[in-house]
Amino acid sequence: MEQYLFRMPVDEGLNLVAPTTTEKLAAAIFNLVDGDWEHLGRYLPWVEKTTSVQDELNFLKMMAQQQIEGKTYLFVIEFENQIVGTIDLHFINPTNGRAEIGYWLSSAYTGKGIMTRCVKKVAAYGFKMLELNRIDIYCDVENVASAEVAKRAGFDFLATQPDAERYHDDFHDMQQYVLLRRNFMEG
């Protein structure tokens, strides 16, 4: 098991861990992504650009620097001592108390409620520790599973943004979900 900077339990066997910037962890994440390209690459444009362990290591280092600057918090999702995905708070705006959550999960672990529980935990972290007032989730309109995660985690549908993202040589409509601190129910 990889050594992490800290571990935040979500529930039995499920943890969010602050990643280290080691080649060992970068290789583990890269291999997970590379082995699940069809599932992850459909809606995540960065997948096709991540072609080596070094790419993943560079990403981890960039995220660590952004965390120092208070712009991003990245967590590795660990389920039953296995790395199964990541989740992050990004575009953190302390002045306006806002951030976005982004996430991905290996297809071998979908359908178990893992991501919904992780989104709730990261939202709690954002509201309590970072004193955020609002957290948004954006997902492709065709990514029904991601939209369901947002809804099950207590986020409300706000809008569909036409042609909001460009990837795979085409523009994609994105759904926006929002959760306000006053509406957040932990658990």
Coordinates of all heavy atoms in Angstrom, one line a residue, residues 125-169:
Y125 N -15.9 18.4 3.0 CA -14.6 19.0 3.2 C -14.6 20.4 2.7 O -14.1 21.3 3.4 CB -13.6 18.1 2.5 CG -12.1 18.6 2.6 CD1 -11.4 18.2 3.7 CD2 -11.6 19.4 1.7 CE1 -10.1 18.6 3.9 CE2 -10.3 19.9 1.8 CZ -9.5 19.5 2.9 OH -8.2 19.9 3.1
G126 N -15.1 20.6 1.5 CA -15.2 22.0 1.0 C -16.0 22.9 1.8 O -15.6 24.1 2.1
F127 N -17.1 22.5 2.3 CA -18.0 23.4 3.1 C -17.4 23.7 4.5 O -17.4 24.8 5.0 CB -19.4 22.8 3.2 CG -20.2 22.8 1.9 CD1 -20.9 21.7 1.6 CD2 -20.2 23.9 1.1 CE1 -21.6 21.7 0.4 CE2 -20.9 23.9 -0.1 CZ -21.6 22.8 -0.5
K128 N -16.9 22.6 5.1 CA -16.4 22.8 6.5 C -14.9 23.3 6.6 O -14.7 24.2 7.3 CB -16.4 21.4 7.2 CG -17.9 21.0 7.5 CD -17.9 19.6 8.1 CE -19.3 19.1 8.3 NZ -19.4 17.8 8.8
M129 N -14.0 22.7 5.8 CA -12.6 23.1 5.9 C -12.2 24.3 5.1 O -11.4 25.1 5.5 CB -11.8 21.9 5.6 CG -12.0 20.6 6.4 SD -11.9 20.9 8.1 CE -10.1 21.1 8.3
L130 N -12.8 24.4 3.9 CA -12.5 25.5 3.0 C -13.5 26.7 3.1 O -13.3 27.7 2.4 CB -12.4 25.0 1.6 CG -11.4 23.9 1.4 CD1 -11.3 23.5 -0.1 CD2 -10.0 24.3 1.8
E131 N -14.6 26.5 3.9 CA -15.6 27.4 4.1 C -16.3 27.9 2.8 O -16.6 29.1 2.6 CB -15.1 28.6 4.9 CG -14.6 28.2 6.3 CD -14.1 29.4 7.1 OE1 -13.9 30.5 6.5 OE2 -13.9 29.2 8.3
L132 N -16.4 26.9 1.8 CA -17.1 27.2 0.6 C -18.6 27.4 0.8 O -19.1 26.8 1.8 CB -16.9 26.1 -0.4 CG -15.4 25.8 -0.8 CD1 -15.3 24.6 -1.7 CD2 -14.8 27.0 -1.5
N133 N -19.2 28.1 -0.1 CA -20.7 28.3 0.0 C -21.4 27.5 -1.1 O -22.5 27.2 -1.0 CB -21.0 29.8 -0.1 CG -22.5 30.0 -0.1 OD1 -23.1 29.7 0.9 ND2 -23.1 30.6 -1.1
R134 N -20.6 27.3 -2.2 CA -21.2 26.7 -3.4 C -20.2 25.8 -4.1 O -19.1 26.1 -4.3 CB -21.7 27.8 -4.4 CG -22.2 27.3 -5.7 CD -22.5 28.4 -6.6 NE -22.7 27.9 -8.0 CZ -23.6 28.5 -8.8 NH1 -24.3 29.5 -8.4 NH2 -23.7 28.0 -10.0
I135 N -20.7 24.6 -4.5 CA -19.9 23.6 -5.3 C -20.7 23.2 -6.5 O -21.9 22.9 -6.4 CB -19.5 22.4 -4.4 CG1 -18.7 22.9 -3.2 CG2 -18.7 21.4 -5.2 CD1 -18.4 21.8 -2.2
D136 N -20.0 23.2 -7.6 CA -20.6 22.8 -8.9 C -20.0 21.5 -9.4 O -18.9 21.3 -9.2 CB -20.4 23.9 -10.0 CG -21.2 25.2 -9.7 OD1 -22.4 25.3 -10.0 OD2 -20.6 26.1 -9.1
I137 N -20.8 20.8 -10.1 CA -20.4 19.6 -10.9 C -20.9 19.8 -12.3 O -22.0 20.1 -12.5 CB -20.9 18.3 -10.3 CG1 -20.3 18.0 -8.9 CG2 -20.6 17.1 -11.3 CD1 -20.9 16.8 -8.3
Y138 N -20.0 19.6 -13.3 CA -20.3 19.7 -14.7 C -20.1 18.3 -15.3 O -19.1 17.7 -15.0 CB -19.5 20.7 -15.4 CG -19.7 22.1 -15.0 CD1 -19.1 22.7 -14.0 CD2 -20.7 22.9 -15.8 CE1 -19.3 24.0 -13.6 CE2 -20.9 24.2 -15.4 CZ -20.2 24.8 -14.3 OH -20.5 26.1 -14.0
C139 N -21.0 17.9 -16.1 CA -20.8 16.6 -16.8 C -21.5 16.7 -18.2 O -22.5 17.4 -18.4 CB -21.3 15.4 -16.0 SG -23.1 15.4 -15.7
D140 N -20.9 15.9 -19.1 CA -21.5 15.8 -20.5 C -23.0 15.3 -20.4 O -23.3 14.5 -19.5 CB -20.7 14.8 -21.3 CG -21.0 14.8 -22.7 OD1 -22.2 14.5 -23.1 OD2 -20.1 15.1 -23.6
V141 N -23.8 15.9 -21.2 CA -25.2 15.5 -21.1 C -25.4 14.0 -21.4 O -26.4 13.4 -20.9 CB -26.1 16.3 -22.1 CG1 -26.2 17.8 -21.7 CG2 -25.7 16.2 -23.5
E142 N -24.5 13.4 -22.1 CA -24.6 12.0 -22.4 C -24.1 11.1 -21.2 O -24.3 9.9 -21.2 CB -23.9 11.6 -23.7 CG -24.6 12.3 -24.9 CD -23.9 12.0 -26.2 OE1 -23.0 11.1 -26.2 OE2 -24.3 12.6 -27.2
N143 N -23.4 11.7 -20.3 CA -22.8 10.9 -19.2 C -23.8 10.8 -18.1 O -23.7 11.5 -17.0 CB -21.5 11.6 -18.7 CG -20.7 10.8 -17.7 OD1 -21.2 9.8 -17.2 ND2 -19.5 11.1 -17.5
V144 N -24.8 9.9 -18.3 CA -25.9 9.7 -17.3 C -25.4 9.3 -16.0 O -25.9 9.7 -14.9 CB -26.9 8.7 -17.9 CG1 -28.0 8.4 -16.9 CG2 -27.5 9.2 -19.2
A145 N -24.4 8.4 -15.9 CA -23.9 7.9 -14.6 C -23.3 9.1 -13.8 O -23.6 9.1 -12.6 CB -22.8 6.9 -14.9
S146 N -22.6 10.0 -14.4 CA -22.0 11.1 -13.7 C -23.2 12.0 -13.2 O -23.1 12.5 -12.0 CB -21.1 11.9 -14.5 OG -20.4 12.9 -13.8
A147 N -24.2 12.3 -14.0 CA -25.3 13.1 -13.6 C -26.0 12.4 -12.4 O -26.4 13.1 -11.4 CB -26.3 13.3 -14.7
E148 N -26.2 11.1 -12.4 CA -26.8 10.4 -11.3 C -26.0 10.5 -10.0 O -26.6 10.6 -8.9 CB -27.1 8.9 -11.7 CG -28.1 8.8 -12.7 CD -29.5 9.3 -12.3 OE1 -29.9 9.1 -11.1 OE2 -30.2 10.0 -13.1
V149 N -24.7 10.5 -10.1 CA -23.8 10.7 -8.9 C -24.1 12.0 -8.3 O -24.3 12.2 -7.1 CB -22.3 10.5 -9.3 CG1 -21.4 11.1 -8.2 CG2 -22.0 9.1 -9.6
A150 N -24.1 13.1 -9.2 CA -24.4 14.4 -8.7 C -25.8 14.5 -7.9 O -25.9 15.0 -6.8 CB -24.3 15.4 -9.8
K151 N -26.8 13.9 -8.5 CA -28.1 14.0 -7.9 C -28.2 13.2 -6.6 O -28.7 13.7 -5.6 CB -29.2 13.4 -8.9 CG -29.4 14.4 -10.1 CD -30.6 13.9 -11.0 CE -30.0 13.2 -12.1 NZ -31.1 12.8 -13.1
R152 N -27.6 12.0 -6.6 CA -27.6 11.2 -5.4 C -26.8 11.8 -4.3 O -27.1 11.6 -3.1 CB -27.1 9.8 -5.7 CG -28.1 8.9 -6.4 CD -27.6 7.4 -6.4 NE -26.3 7.2 -6.9 CZ -26.0 7.0 -8.2 NH1 -27.0 6.9 -9.1 NH2 -24.8 6.8 -8.6
A153 N -25.8 12.7 -4.6 CA -25.0 13.3 -3.6 C -25.7 14.6 -3.1 O -25.1 15.3 -2.3 CB -23.6 13.7 -4.2
G154 N -26.9 14.9 -3.7 CA -27.6 16.1 -3.2 C -27.5 17.3 -4.0 O -28.0 18.4 -3.6
F155 N -26.8 17.2 -5.1 CA -26.7 18.4 -6.0 C -28.0 18.6 -6.8 O -28.6 17.6 -7.2 CB -25.5 18.2 -7.0 CG -24.2 18.4 -6.3 CD1 -23.7 17.5 -5.4 CD2 -23.4 19.5 -6.7 CE1 -22.5 17.6 -4.8 CE2 -22.1 19.7 -6.1 CZ -21.7 18.7 -5.2
D156 N -28.3 19.8 -7.1 CA -29.5 20.1 -7.9 C -29.1 20.5 -9.3 O -28.1 21.2 -9.5 CB -30.3 21.3 -7.3 CG -30.9 21.0 -6.0 OD1 -31.5 19.9 -5.8 OD2 -30.8 21.8 -5.0
F157 N -29.9 20.0 -10.3 CA -29.7 20.4 -11.7 C -29.9 21.9 -11.8 O -31.0 22.4 -11.4 CB -30.6 19.6 -12.6 CG -30.5 20.0 -14.1 CD1 -29.4 19.7 -14.8 CD2 -31.5 20.8 -14.6 CE1 -29.3 20.1 -16.2 CE2 -31.4 21.2 -15.9 CZ -30.3 20.9 -16.7
L158 N -29.0 22.6 -12.5 CA -29.2 24.0 -12.7 C -29.4 24.4 -14.1 O -30.3 25.2 -14.4 CB -27.9 24.8 -12.2 CG -28.0 26.3 -12.2 CD1 -29.1 26.8 -11.2 CD2 -26.7 26.9 -11.7
A159 N -28.6 23.8 -15.0 CA -28.7 24.3 -16.4 C -28.0 23.3 -17.3 O -27.1 22.6 -16.9 CB -28.2 25.7 -16.6
T160 N -28.4 23.3 -18.6 CA -27.6 22.7 -19.7 C -26.9 23.8 -20.4 O -27.6 24.8 -20.9 CB -28.5 21.9 -20.6 OG1 -29.1 20.8 -19.9 CG2 -27.7 21.3 -21.8
Q161 N -25.6 23.7 -20.5 CA -24.8 24.7 -21.2 C -24.4 24.2 -22.6 O -23.6 23.2 -22.7 CB -23.6 25.0 -20.4 CG -24.0 25.5 -19.0 CD -23.0 26.3 -18.3 OE1 -21.9 26.6 -18.9 NE2 -23.2 26.6 -17.1
P162 N -25.0 24.7 -23.7 CA -24.8 24.2 -25.0 C -23.3 24.5 -25.5 O -22.8 25.5 -25.2 CB -25.8 24.9 -25.9 CG -26.3 26.1 -25.1 CD -26.0 25.8 -23.7
D163 N -22.8 23.5 -26.1 CA -21.4 23.6 -26.7 C -20.4 24.1 -25.7 O -19.5 24.9 -26.0 CB -21.4 24.5 -28.0 CG -22.1 23.8 -29.1 OD1 -22.4 22.6 -29.0 OD2 -22.4 24.5 -30.1
A164 N -20.4 23.7 -24.5 CA -19.6 24.2 -23.4 C -18.2 23.7 -23.4 O -17.3 24.3 -22.9 CB -20.3 24.0 -22.0
E165 N -18.0 22.5 -23.9 CA -16.7 21.9 -23.9 C -16.4 21.3 -25.3 O -17.3 20.8 -25.9 CB -16.6 20.7 -22.9 CG -16.8 21.1 -21.4 CD -15.6 21.8 -20.8 OE1 -14.5 21.4 -21.3 OE2 -15.8 22.6 -19.9
R166 N -15.1 21.4 -25.7 CA -14.7 20.8 -26.9 C -13.7 19.7 -26.7 O -12.7 19.9 -26.1 CB -14.1 21.9 -27.8 CG -13.8 21.3 -29.2 CD -13.2 22.4 -30.1 NE -13.1 21.8 -31.5 CZ -12.9 22.5 -32.5 NH1 -12.8 23.8 -32.4 NH2 -12.8 22.0 -33.7
Y167 N -14.0 18.5 -27.1 CA -13.1 17.4 -27.1 C -13.5 16.3 -28.1 O -14.7 16.3 -28.6 CB -13.0 16.7 -25.7 CG -14.3 16.3 -25.0 CD1 -14.8 15.0 -25.1 CD2 -15.0 17.2 -24.2 CE1 -15.9 14.6 -24.5 CE2 -16.1 16.8 -23.5 CZ -16.6 15.5 -23.7 OH -17.7 15.1 -23.1
H168 N -12.6 15.5 -28.5 CA -12.8 14.5 -29.5 C -13.3 15.2 -30.8 O -14.2 14.7 -31.5 CB -13.8 13.4 -29.1 CG -13.4 12.7 -27.8 ND1 -12.1 12.3 -27.6 CD2 -14.1 12.3 -26.8 CE1 -12.1 11.7 -26.4 NE2 -13.3 11.7 -25.9
D169 N -12.7 16.4 -31.1 CA -13.0 17.1 -32.3 C -14.5 17.5 -32.5 O -15.0 17.7 -33.6 CB -12.6 16.3 -33.6 CG -11.1 16.1 -33.6 OD1 -10.4 17.0 -33.2 OD2 -10.7 15.0 -34.0

